[in-house]
Amino acid sequence: MKIIRSKAELRAMTEDWRRAGDSIGVVPTMGALHAGHLSLVEAACAATDRVIVTLFVNPKQFNNPEDLAKYPRTEESDAEKLTPYGADVLYVPDGAQMYPEGFATTISVSGVSDGLCGATRPGHFDGVATVVTKLLLQTDADQAFFGEKDYQQLQVVRRIAEDLDLKTRIIGCPTIRESDGLAMSSRNLRLDDRARATAPVIREALSRAAIEIREGVSVETALQSARSRLTDAGMGEIDYLEFRGDPDLAILSTADRPGRIFVAAWLDGVRLIDNVPVHEASQHERRLEPAD
Ligand code: PAF
């Protein structure tokens, strides 16, 4: 796997691949790679001839400077983790490559960006939308792979590709979880042992609420018991816990069409997010549901 740091070198490489008739897949990341990212790389390697993994900790999507400063930077071990997967390039641009002097453009998506993390992290999705648009163009990708853990981000990126007539197909891939159900995230590294032991309650609370809604409990009651479950287990402030339509992310008060439950909650100074679909039971939920 070649490490490339400049747009010009990346362009020369993708032009060579195009001349050879190869298709290109991209997996955008901010590094601190875990099995969730690696599953995206696997999906990309299976779907396209050439695969670029990007690593750029994008300052424009951090609304909190402390969060940006604390974000893990682990390029060397990220490159090692990628080695067995067969990606062709690790693209690691610096700030000057991405946002050179005079940079003045922001991509802003309305609708799907507005609630959830868009409401609690002002400016976050403008930063994501701007950097992802640049990465899709710089890599000339036919397909781009994103995890469903960041479901709102996935819908924002789908909107951009559609609205800006980008040729890149956006592929959503399932959330990868630890064996206790915690969604994999680079932020999990910041949890101490006690917080790490508490964190699986997030998926547990969402799954129970999904089961309850499927069984006919009202959305309001199911969300209220999920909230109590989180608080009783020792979770801190809950930024949001909501049932939203899929894929438009409109707030739903009844389950008369497919939707997902979304949460963002704090634990030990770390903000964790997760979501589960309500219209289809996961394997985990099938185990929790009473047998007929
Ligand atoms: O999901 C992430 O890691 C980031 O938001 C992304 C898509 C790489 C853009 O910086």
Side-chain angles (χ1 to χ4, degrees):
M1 186 183 62
K2 196 170 161 57
I3 296 184
I4 291 184
R5 296 183 193 278
S6 83
K7 283 184 277 197
E9 200 187 339
L10 184 68
R11 166 79 37 102
M13 181 116 247
T14 56
E15 283 175 356
D16 274 355
W17 291 343
R18 288 299 181 199
R19 272 191 291 276
D22 290 345
S23 60
I24 301 174
V26 65
V27 180
T29 83
M30 297 203 298
L33 301 184
H34 49 66
H37 297 110
L38 298 173
S39 74
L40 302 180
V41 177
E42 233 167 3
C45 289
T48 55
D49 301 315
R50 300 291 185 171
V51 171
I52 303 169
V53 178
T54 72
L55 193 178
F56 179 63
V57 181
N58 174 32
K60 288 194 186 292
Q61 71 186 76
F62 287 82
N63 53 317
N64 175 348
E66 207 186 314
D67 205 18
L68 172 61
K70 280 193 193 156
Y71 204 86
R73 278 134 173 113
T74 53
E75 181 187 324
E76 211 173 302
S77 67
D78 289 340
E80 269 167 34
K81 284 180 195 161
L82 286 168
T83 310
Y85 285 85
D88 297 272
V89 165
L90 178 60
Y91 175 49
V92 194
D94 64 10
Q97 287 291 311
M98 292 307 281
Y99 304 121
E101 187 74 25
F103 185 88
T105 299
T106 299
I107 306 286
S108 194
V109 178
S110 58
V112 287
S113 288
D114 293 342
L116 303 171
C117 289
T120 49
R121 300 183 69 191
H124 169 67
F125 284 119
D126 284 1
V128 170
T130 304
V131 82
V132 169
T133 306
K134 285 176 68 74
L135 290 170
L136 299 186
L137 294 171
Q138 288 177 5
T139 57
D140 194 26
D142 299 293
Q143 298 190 45
F145 298 78
F146 295 86
E148 288 186 345
K149 189 196 135 247
D150 297 300
Y151 204 80
Q152 188 177 16
Q153 168 172 282
L154 174 62
Q155 301 315 320
V156 168
V157 174
R158 285 195 200 286
R159 202 64 263 163
I160 298 169
E162 175 89 23
D163 292 354
L164 299 184
D165 306 313
L166 301 185
K167 70 168 181 192
T168 316
R169 225 176 113 216
I170 307 301
I171 312 289
C173 300
T175 301
I176 303 296
R177 297 181 181 278
E178 302 286 356
S179 55
D180 59 12
L182 178 63
M184 291 204 182
S185 163
S186 312
R187 288 167 189 261
N188 298 350
L189 293 174
R190 287 163 45 195
L191 299 173
D192 67 18
D193 289 351
R194 202 152 151 251
R196 177 63 191 79
T198 302
V201 71
I202 298 172
R203 199 276 290 262
E204 206 53 37
L206 295 190
S207 286
R208 296 265 176 200
I211 292 171
E212 285 176 11
I213 293 173
R214 279 199 298 278
E215 286 175 350
V217 174
S218 76
V219 168
E220 194 186 343
T221 304
L223 293 181
Q224 193 47 54
S225 53
R227 189 172 278 275
S228 306
R229 224 177 260 280
L230 292 172
T231 311
D232 294 351
M235 292 293 301
E237 196 176 331
I238 298 172
D239 279 355
Y240 58 76
L241 174 61
E242 291 176 12
F243 180 46
R244 297 245 173 186
D246 193 0
D248 59 346
L249 304 187
I251 293 184
L252 299 183
S253 53
T254 55
D256 49 10
R257 67 181 175 93
R260 300 177 86 93
I261 305 174
F262 292 84
V263 70
W266 290 83
L267 178 60
D268 200 24
V270 182
R271 186 176 181 276
L272 299 171
I273 64 170
D274 201 350
N275 69 90
V276 300
V278 164
H279 52 290
E280 64 193 54
S282 65
Q283 251 182 13
H284 170 72
E285 287 161 20
R286 278 196 288 273
R287 281 197 297 272
L288 294 177
E289 269 167 329
D292 294 328

